[in-house]
Amino acid sequence: MLEDESGRIPLVGDLVKKANLVTGVILGALGMETPDSEFQVIDICYAGASPSSSTKTKTEDEMNVDESAPKSPSDSDEWIAAISGLEVGSQSSSDALIHMLVEYLTGEECGIKHSVSPSQISRLIVAGNSLTPLSLNNKGEANAEETIEKKPRKYAQDTTTFSTHPIFTLSAHLLDLGRTMPIHLLPGETDPSGVILPQQALPKGMFGAVGSLSSFYSETNPTYLHISTGTTQRTLLVNSGQPLNDMFKYVSCPPHTRLSLLESTLKWRHMAPTAPDTLWCHPYIGLDPFIIKELPDIYIVGSQEELVTKVFVDTESGEAKRCRIIGIPRFAETGVLALVNLRTLEVRKVRFGAEGMNTRSANEQTKGEEIEMEVESSIPQSSNRSDFL
């Protein structure tokens, strides 16, 4: 349906069937009304990609990202690590994977030659779903162990239905990482934060000692990050995946993919068009916080099924504008960490795993679009403790 203040009319035509259209998209349609009171679409016009930042001076290396002969990474390049879906506190515990992740990022995995040295990784981005929510029964109460006798609650939280252990465990891991690199933590759908977007930053006080570190940043969801390293300046747009997961309900797969939807959000200039129709968000009058006013250099979305990435190139405005799109998979299920080179925007994948862990097979191929510029870390197996692929 095309809807405005005068009413609504159905859209028909092959172009409509092929387009990535979800509820809430702002567009212009060219066509004619049919005798059946439908609108035959001949052409569709979107807002188009947002302009790049005018305050940023791009270097020659930045302008040549993903050209036919891209510059190869060097040992002096800085990388950022991105992860999502730690799910600390779930029944299928991922603590062993998280321990291997911490040891890799802090450089404690001695004797193992990595494709990217931990000393080159300058910061870590945690894109939501770090904790697992409490399971609820039919009465809307948190389930307790049946073997524990339920006692009446007196002036405090019932300890049989609530445990602070997952928060303490997550805080301990973040403290180990925060002592070596900056951390940007975003709330997600399963985290103890309001489900209405945009989600506010998690209170630093709930994370104990790591909350007092200057290297720990509790961010909103979504958030913009501006990173400057020498002559390279990068703008990152990060969210925890709720907008994409909601939009994916409206399209058929195949032919549409999550990667093509992310590319469409840049053309729509809006990261969450389904809000507030089917995605909860705060009511705004005269202001929409989900409009992409500035085309980021890196667009990161968490809580996905697999690692997907692509370089979005927009030439319709006459200016070659590029954005590296990255979908980060759930770490508890895949054991995948994504690394991004800030100079070349190359993406590398590191998979953590050990025998007996319930993670996806290392030989499983990525579904949907092929991952561009992905280089799997060729790290040999360590001593019966972890397997990096």
Side-chain angles (χ1 to χ4, degrees):
M1 295 283 186
L2 184 66
E3 180 181 3
D4 59 11
E5 63 275 4
S6 63
R8 54 175 68 171
I9 186 172
L11 300 178
V12 295
D14 295 336
L15 187 61
V16 176
K17 297 178 181 179
K18 298 178 182 178
N20 272 334
L21 294 181
V22 299
T23 179
V25 174
I26 305 298
L27 56 83
L30 176 65
M32 63 191 72
E33 187 177 359
T34 65
D36 298 330
S37 297
E38 296 176 332
F39 195 80
Q40 181 73 31
V41 178
I42 301 176
D43 194 11
I44 295 178
C45 178
Y46 304 114
S50 303
S52 301
S53 175
S54 59
T55 60
K56 178 176 60 176
T57 302
K58 293 190 175 183
T59 63
E60 181 181 355
D61 289 342
E62 295 179 67
M63 296 300 295
N64 289 333
V65 171
D66 279 20
E67 293 290 351
S68 57
K71 296 180 181 297
S72 59
S74 64
D75 295 337
S76 60
D77 289 347
E78 289 194 21
W79 298 71
I80 60 172
I83 202 168
S84 180
L86 295 176
E87 297 182 8
V88 177
S90 61
Q91 294 181 353
S92 57
S93 177
S94 59
D95 286 347
L97 293 176
I98 299 176
H99 276 293
M100 287 187 284
L101 169 70
V102 173
E103 290 177 354
Y104 169 64
L105 293 178
T106 56
E108 295 180 3
E109 283 287 350
C110 300
I112 300 178
K113 183 179 179 181
H114 304 285
S115 63
V116 177
S117 173
S119 62
Q120 294 180 256
I121 303 175
S122 60
R123 65 187 62 234
L124 172 67
I125 298 174
V126 184
N129 292 358
S130 301
L131 297 169
T132 300
L134 293 173
S135 59
L136 303 178
N137 55 23
N138 295 333
K139 298 180 180 179
E141 300 174 347
N143 289 329
E145 296 291 341
E146 296 180 357
T147 56
I148 300 178
E149 181 181 358
K150 190 164 182 72
K151 299 179 181 179
R153 184 171 54 185
K154 295 182 180 179
Y155 314 111
Q157 173 68 42
D158 189 350
T159 57
T160 63
T161 61
F162 178 76
S163 173
T164 57
H165 175 69
I167 298 179
F168 291 153
T169 303
L170 176 62
S171 302
H173 292 313
L174 294 178
L175 181 60
D176 293 337
L177 293 171
R179 289 169 174 167
T180 59
M181 67 178 61
I183 301 175
H184 300 270
L185 178 67
L186 278 70
E189 186 177 8
T190 64
D191 293 324
S193 177
V195 296
I196 300 179
L197 294 178
Q199 289 180 296
Q200 301 304 305
L202 296 171
K204 288 187 176 182
M206 67 181 291
F207 296 104
V210 69
S212 60
L213 296 180
S214 59
S215 58
F216 179 74
Y217 303 92
S218 184
E219 308 286 357
T220 61
N221 175 36
T223 186
Y224 272 97
L225 301 177
H226 299 277
I227 301 177
S228 177
T229 58
T231 59
T232 303
Q233 300 179 16
R234 295 298 187 189
T235 300
L236 284 70
L237 175 58
V238 188
N239 70 60
S240 298
Q242 296 99 314
L244 177 59
N245 295 336
D246 190 70
M247 285 188 293
F248 202 66
K249 302 174 184 177
Y250 293 93
V251 298
S252 57
C253 179
H256 306 295
T257 64
R258 294 176 180 264
L259 197 57
S260 64
L261 272 180
L262 285 177
E263 187 175 0
S264 296
T265 58
L266 297 177
K267 297 178 182 179
W268 301 335
R269 207 177 291 194
H270 201 286
M271 73 180 78
T274 60
D277 293 344
T278 58
L279 184 65
W280 291 357
C281 76
H282 288 282
Y284 289 92
I285 299 178
L287 173 67
D288 191 341
F290 304 112
I291 293 178
I292 305 177
K293 298 181 179 180
E294 174 188 346
L295 183 67
D297 295 305
I298 304 174
Y299 185 15
I300 297 177
V301 176
S303 302
Q304 301 306 304
E305 297 179 352
E306 58 222 351
L307 177 63
V308 292
T309 181
K310 181 181 181 181
V311 173
F312 167 78
V313 181
D314 176 70
T315 57
E316 295 181 0
S317 61
E319 175 190 358
K321 296 179 290 186
R322 294 178 174 85
C323 172
R324 166 65 78 173
I325 304 174
I326 308 173
I328 307 297
R330 291 181 285 270
F331 183 78
E333 297 180 6
T334 62
V336 169
L337 168 72
L339 302 177
V340 187
N341 189 305
L342 289 178
R343 182 178 65 89
T344 65
L345 297 188
E346 177 186 348
V347 176
R348 294 191 180 184
K349 177 173 67 175
V350 179
R351 190 193 301 269
F352 301 89
E355 185 177 355
M357 287 187 179
N358 187 22
T359 57
R360 296 179 182 175
S361 172
N363 296 324
E364 180 180 352
Q365 297 296 324
T366 302
K367 300 177 182 178
E369 293 192 38
E370 181 182 358
I371 293 182
E372 297 183 3
M373 297 295 294
E374 180 199 3
V375 180
E376 293 192 1
S377 303
S378 55
I379 304 173
Q381 183 175 359
S382 60
S383 56
N384 299 327
R385 191 167 50 139
S386 60
D387 186 14
F388 299 87
L389 300 171

